[in-house]
Amino acid sequence: MTTAQQGLDVINERFGVHPRHRALHAKGVHCKAEFRANERGAELSRAAHMSGEAIPTFVRLSNGGGDPTVPDYEPDVRGLAVSFQLPDGARTDILCQTLERFPFKDQEGFFDSVRASDRSLAGLARIPGLLLRSPKAIRALPGSLKTMGRAPRADFVVDAALVSRVHCRFTLDHANALELEDLGSTNGTFLNGKKVSRATLSDGDQLTIGRVQFVVNSDANDPGGNPKTTWSV
C-alpha cells in the first residue's frame, strides 16, 4: 500500500518540485464567473446553486501533469474545477476531468503510469510492464500511449541507433492481451531473437528495438493478487 507521502514522492520525482504549485494539475487558469441555472435546472434539483438565482462562481481549468511549464498543446488530462459560492456562505464544488475512466485496479497502477509518463528511456522501459499489469490503460491514457520510435511524434521517443522514426506499436486484442506490432521499421523488431511483424508479449520475453533491449519479468505471487511486472533495459 502506497502512503500519501510515498505517492507525493513518486509525483515529485517525475515532475519535480515546483513551489506554489500543485503536485498534479500544476498548470491552470482561474476564472471568476456568475452561474444562473435555467428553469429546467430548478425542476431537476433542489440544490441551492440550481435555484435560478445568480451564483458567484470560481472556475479553474488545468492541465493534469505536475509541470507548470508544459505547453498547452502537449497531450494530457484536462481538469475542470467549479466552486459555487452559495448565499448562506457555504459552497458546492464540482470536479471533473477528461479521462473517461480510471483504468487501473488500484492506486499502484496510477503511480506506475506516472513513472512511465516520462518520455526518457527509463520511462519507456516501464511502459510494457504498466500495460501488462493494467492493460486497459492503453485505451484510456492521454495521447494513446502506443507507438515507439525515433520521431518526436512517437508516443515514446527512443533516440538510439537503428531505431526507425515510428518503429513499433502496442495494442490490445479482444482478450486484453498485449500485442506488439512492427510498423515497417528498417531494421526490424525482434522478440526472443526472432524478427517478428506481430506477436503477443508474455512473461520472460526479450524485445529488441534497434540496440535497445527489454526483458519482462513477472511475479505472479504478489500478496495483493496483482502481478508485479518489471521491464529493464
Side-chain angles (χ1 to χ4, degrees):
M1 176 68 70
T2 301
T3 67
Q5 184 58 53
Q6 290 170 335
L8 186 61
D9 291 342
V10 170
I11 294 169
N12 289 337
E13 182 180 357
R14 166 62 183 89
F15 296 105
V17 177
H18 303 277
R20 299 179 62 83
H21 288 86
R22 303 163 190 254
L24 291 176
H25 292 266
K27 183 179 182 179
V29 58
H30 290 85
C31 305
K32 186 176 181 180
E34 181 180 275
F35 176 81
R36 190 188 300 268
N38 61 22
E39 294 179 358
R40 181 61 175 157
E43 293 175 1
L44 293 173
S45 173
R46 292 178 294 175
H49 64 285
M50 300 297 285
S51 66
E53 299 296 324
I55 304 295
T57 306
F58 298 106
V59 180
R60 185 174 190 263
L61 303 163
S62 62
N63 296 342
D67 182 359
T69 68
V70 69
D72 290 338
Y73 56 75
E74 283 288 327
D76 201 352
V77 173
R78 309 299 180 188
L80 173 65
V82 182
S83 182
F84 301 98
Q85 311 301 302
L86 304 179
D88 63 357
R91 74 183 193 190
T92 295
D93 296 337
I94 297 178
L95 306 176
C96 54
Q97 60 180 356
T98 55
L99 195 65
E100 295 181 0
R101 60 186 179 278
F102 191 72
F104 312 107
K105 295 180 179 179
D106 52 28
Q107 75 278 7
E108 303 302 333
F110 171 74
F111 291 126
D112 284 346
S113 75
V114 171
R115 297 183 184 96
S117 66
D118 179 7
R119 290 193 173 201
S120 65
L121 282 178
L124 174 68
R126 299 185 181 106
I127 282 297
L130 164 67
L131 297 180
L132 281 173
R133 178 177 176 180
S134 303
K136 295 181 180 179
I138 197 170
R139 293 196 180 112
L141 290 176
S144 297
L145 306 182
K146 294 181 180 180
T147 59
M148 292 183 183
R150 186 166 42 84
R153 70 176 183 272
D155 293 304
F156 286 87
V157 178
V158 186
D159 189 10
L162 307 181
V163 176
S164 293
R165 294 182 63 80
V166 183
H167 196 107
C168 64
R169 174 171 59 202
F170 295 101
T171 57
L172 293 175
D173 64 15
H174 296 298
N176 279 339
L178 182 62
E179 289 194 350
L180 168 71
E181 180 184 3
D182 182 84
L183 297 177
S185 63
T186 301
N187 296 295
T189 299
F190 293 81
L191 188 63
N192 300 322
K194 180 180 179 181
K195 187 175 182 179
V196 296
S197 58
R198 180 187 291 269
T200 300
L201 296 176
S202 58
D203 178 46
D205 283 343
Q206 294 185 358
L207 168 64
T208 304
I209 302 171
R211 294 176 180 172
V212 181
Q213 186 177 80
F214 303 94
V215 178
V216 62
N217 298 284
S218 176
D219 179 10
N221 297 317
D222 175 34
N226 296 321
K228 290 184 177 180
T229 308
T230 303
W231 286 63
S232 58
V233 177

